[in-house]
Amino acid sequence: MVDVTKWPLFSLLGDQVLSSIRQACVFGTSANEVIYITKNDHVWAFGLNCSNCLGTGDSQSSILPKKLDVLCGKKVVSLSYGSGPHVLLASEDGELFAWGHNSYSQLGNGTTNQGVAPVLVSANLLNKRVTEVACGSHHSLALTDAGEVYAWGYNNCGQVGSGSTANQPTPRRVSNCLQNKVVVSITCGQTSSLAVVQNGEVYGWGYNGNGQLGLGNNGNQLTPLSTYIYTHKPSGYAHSLALTDEGLLYAWGANTYGQLGTGNKSNQLSPVQILTEKERIVEIAACHSTHTSAAKTQSGQVYMWGQCRGQSIVLPFLTLFSCTDDVFACFATPSVTWRLLSLEHDDFLTVAQSLKKEFDSPDTADLKFSVEGKYIHVHKAVLKIRCEHFRSMFQSHWNEDMKEVIEINQFPYPVYRAFLQFLYTDNVDLPPEDAIGLLDLATSYCEKRLKRLCQHTIKRGITVENAFSLLAAAVRYDAEDLEEFCFKFCVNRLTEVTQTAAFWQIEGNLLKQFICRASRCGAFKN
């Protein structure tokens, strides 16, 4: 399951917005732009907005998401971005939209004017249904449901496949060797293009200085030429990966950062098999704006190699990630998404999410606590796993082990409920003023982590009026960190604190201790 919060920009969004996202893309030269699609098919964008790539109708950056009205209601099936960046989007209806950087006509509208908002690309695509899009640095590809490939934009190395190096201002069908072929997939490197046809053959064209077309040489190719037979192929900045229908992985092209995973940094002009001793590979990942590679095995193991956070990893490295997307979020430079993220997982819940959902659920609980006449429904097994106090309680020689309802008299309902909820969620959901009671409970039950969380919660709620009461509580429950914090707070606001009711209600010994300690700190000097 993809966790979009691994990309820092998503930390700007609240939980409600995050839960509404179905698809998302992080892009840009510094991974500073985001486009996301919600479950109701609304399209939003926010970030730096280089070259108007957000499509918001202006050139202003935005820390708040803006809705792209022209795209709302369109079910997005494919999205890609270039280095300018420019953006291509294909809808379920087969429509193609483009916006952003356009100095090389990569938007396909026949001009070089920047595209400040999404515009339908129709030139030479009338009555065509686009099913997939791909962007190089400054060129574009589109695949139709008939298996035809169209290309346009920057063409200095022949990446448009027209047979020349003249820029292509509008979509043009890539023919030559592809004329009678049915293409099923497309991808782009920075200035190269690859396509897989129905029988698994890979055709490449464009820049080949590092051997990224896999032709056995390093000469540029102005029209498509067949390389080898595979089933899936993503392209990196200047390298290529391919996966066969037998789960075998091949790599070729540039290898400056070890992105081929061959154990060295030598370029490869022809495909070389890697991860040969591992189990079947089911997914491979690369992106034209990075030198990073990743792969996932049949059992779910995720490997990464190439440029990873400034390091050159020349052999596939086994990570603890569960998906290849995490590799790019955490280790790629820039930390872009290598594909349009899909966040729909059939309502799948992680273990932590399932536990949180079942807290205080009468349907699945096998034990109730009665506090101040109110019930809290829990699961005995969870309590035994999470808390030493309950592990000891639920033993055969304890009376509580046989009970279905346990009475709690020493703590108020909000405090005890917050404690039990903490065991299910690892979070403290309690106002700062009530956290004192929870701190008392944490001390009694020897819950060190809960004690620390209570102290943090209390610190956030300290005021002049309650500071001395909190200091007294910290002393009473032996919370040294909180005691030091409260003491400094009181000393720094000594005049105001000594005029509060809480100060004069404190018992004598504590008051004397405070005065002596404050005196040693020079609090009473003129």
Side-chain angles (χ1 to χ4, degrees), residues 504-524:
W504 295 107
Q505 291 171 1
I506 295 300
E507 55 92 14
N509 286 336
L510 179 59
L511 190 57
K512 289 178 183 178
Q513 292 172 12
F514 174 77
I515 292 173
C516 290
R517 187 178 175 189
S519 178
R520 289 195 298 270
C521 292
F524 302 111

Side-chain angles (χ1 to χ4, degrees), residues 23 29 66 123-124 126 165 262 265 309 321 431 448 454 501:
Q23 297 164 291
T29 53
K66 293 184 177 180
N124 302 325
L126 288 176
T165 56
T262 55
K265 295 184 179 181
R309 284 283 178 179
F321 297 131
K448 294 181 179 179
C454 288

